[in-house]
Amino acid sequence: MIRIAIPNKGRLYEPTISIFKDAGLPISGGAESRKLFAKTTDPDIHILFARAADIPEYVQDGAADVGITGIDLITERGAKVETLLDLKFGKASLVLAVPEDSDFQKAENLEGRKIATEFPEITHQYFKKLGVNVEVIKVSGACEMTPHVGIADAIVDISSSGTTLMINHLKPIDTVFSSTVYLIANKESLKTKDKILDIKTALESVLNAKQRRYLMMNVPESSLQAVKEVLPGMSGPTVMKVESSKLSGESILAVHAVVDADLIFTIVNKLKNVGARDVLVVPIERIMP
């Protein structure tokens, strides 16, 4: 059996549930049912719901074979785990922020000052690299209030939109660490449980698909070369003859290709200009690497 630890609440919970569903491993029930464990469609793969901050340690110690959590939490805990895959969601930054009315403009201005944070290890390493001596004060919540009550001169805290800082009259002066969510594995489990790599492949296929679209179109044979020059497909377009189909006496071909989602707007217009017709843009569920 493989046990996967995933966040039980917060901003990482729903995207994690969603990516497992898209990968063909929907989770039955959820953390909202107040259960610690849940099943997937694979009888050998079970889910453990846990605090995102605890997941690195669970995986390191073998309580879970696999985990999903932020790289900031993995780094802060110094967890000895294998990082398998950047899942590209949960983007956030650890920022160094100071009161709006302060004279601090950069990290070097904070020499000898107090810094409050829930991430003392990352904060220590950041200031050590800069050669700036500070006193790091670990707090477990409400970090943004510490400069206003005299506990600290600045904070290092997670910021995804900057709204919380602005509400609390704080301004960011540097980015300390950038984070996304990662798939991690226990080192020993990775050696003995082959299905862990199957889980990685399934999740990776969803990420690959989100970045691409499937194009289908009808193309007069005389326009095929021009269409090929427009299409930057993964390995070139697939071309098939459309049986018993004529347009002004000319044979029609069906052309299929996979292209980057970001290029769709430009490519579709170019395809129409060189003769493509009946262009369909279709989402892709999974692309196996």
Side-chain angles (χ1 to χ4, degrees):
M1 186 183 74
I2 292 176
R3 184 173 290 170
I4 306 175
I6 71 171
N8 61 357
K9 60 182 178 180
R11 64 189 182 88
L12 304 184
Y13 172 74
E14 289 294 343
T16 300
I17 295 294
S18 177
I19 196 170
F20 271 94
K21 181 179 178 181
D22 292 343
L25 283 171
I27 298 169
S28 59
E32 66 275 4
S33 66
R34 298 186 181 276
K35 292 182 179 179
L36 292 177
F37 300 98
K39 296 180 179 180
T40 70
T41 50
D42 188 313
D44 295 328
I45 299 176
H46 290 192
I47 300 297
L48 164 64
F49 295 108
R51 290 176 62 245
D54 294 334
I55 289 175
E57 190 167 344
Y58 281 17
V59 175
Q60 173 185 274
D61 296 344
D65 301 293
V66 179
I68 289 182
T69 192
I71 192 67
D72 55 332
L73 299 171
I74 300 164
T75 303
E76 176 62 30
R77 294 296 181 97
K80 295 178 175 60
V81 298
E82 290 291 338
T83 53
L84 299 182
L85 183 64
D86 182 354
L87 297 175
K88 308 294 184 183
F89 67 83
K91 292 182 180 179
S93 297
L94 272 176
V95 299
L96 174 62
V98 298
E100 289 176 343
D101 58 0
S102 75
D103 294 328
F104 303 125
Q105 299 297 321
K106 55 184 180 178
E108 288 78 2
N109 299 148
L110 293 165
E111 176 74 32
R113 302 287 184 164
K114 296 178 179 180
I115 314 297
T117 184
E118 294 184 61
F119 298 86
E121 182 58 31
I122 291 176
T123 302
H124 273 299
Q125 292 302 319
Y126 167 77
F127 281 102
K128 181 179 180 180
K129 186 176 180 180
L130 292 176
V132 177
N133 294 311
V134 298
E135 179 183 352
V136 177
I137 300 171
K138 183 178 179 179
V139 296
S140 58
C143 186
E144 62 276 357
M145 70 175 288
T146 57
H148 302 300
V149 295
I151 294 175
D153 300 288
I155 68 170
V156 171
D157 201 13
I158 284 284
S159 177
S160 53
S161 66
T163 302
T164 301
L165 294 179
M166 186 167 40
I167 290 173
N168 287 279
H169 304 289
L170 297 169
K171 61 180 180 183
I173 59 174
D174 199 8
T175 298
V176 174
F177 193 92
S178 294
S179 179
T180 54
V181 169
Y182 272 70
L183 176 72
I184 60 175
N186 175 272
K187 290 178 179 289
E188 291 304 314
S189 296
L190 192 58
K191 295 176 184 177
T192 59
K193 299 185 178 183
D194 294 340
K195 192 166 282 191
I196 290 176
L197 293 181
D198 294 339
I199 294 167
K200 176 192 173 186
T201 298
L203 296 177
E204 194 171 20
S205 71
V206 174
L207 298 178
N208 289 337
K210 287 181 182 298
Q211 301 166 17
R212 294 184 172 92
R213 297 292 182 270
Y214 193 68
L215 287 186
M216 298 182 285
M217 68 207 78
N218 291 326
V219 178
E221 190 168 6
S222 60
S223 300
L224 179 59
Q225 187 56 41
V227 166
K228 284 183 176 181
E229 291 173 2
V230 171
L231 289 172
M234 293 174 65
S235 57
T238 299
V239 180
M240 298 166 285
K241 185 177 181 181
V242 178
E243 294 293 338
S244 303
S245 179
K246 297 283 185 178
L247 182 64
S248 301
E250 187 173 11
S251 295
I252 301 298
L253 304 172
V255 178
H256 296 191
V258 175
V259 302
D260 289 344
D262 293 343
L263 301 177
I264 286 295
F265 179 80
T266 301
I267 286 176
V268 168
N269 285 311
K270 287 182 178 179
L271 289 170
K272 292 174 66 177
N273 289 337
V274 297
R277 304 158 194 261
D278 309 319
V279 180
L280 297 180
V281 181
V282 182
I284 304 172
E285 289 189 3
R286 296 174 65 180
I287 298 178
M288 305 300 289

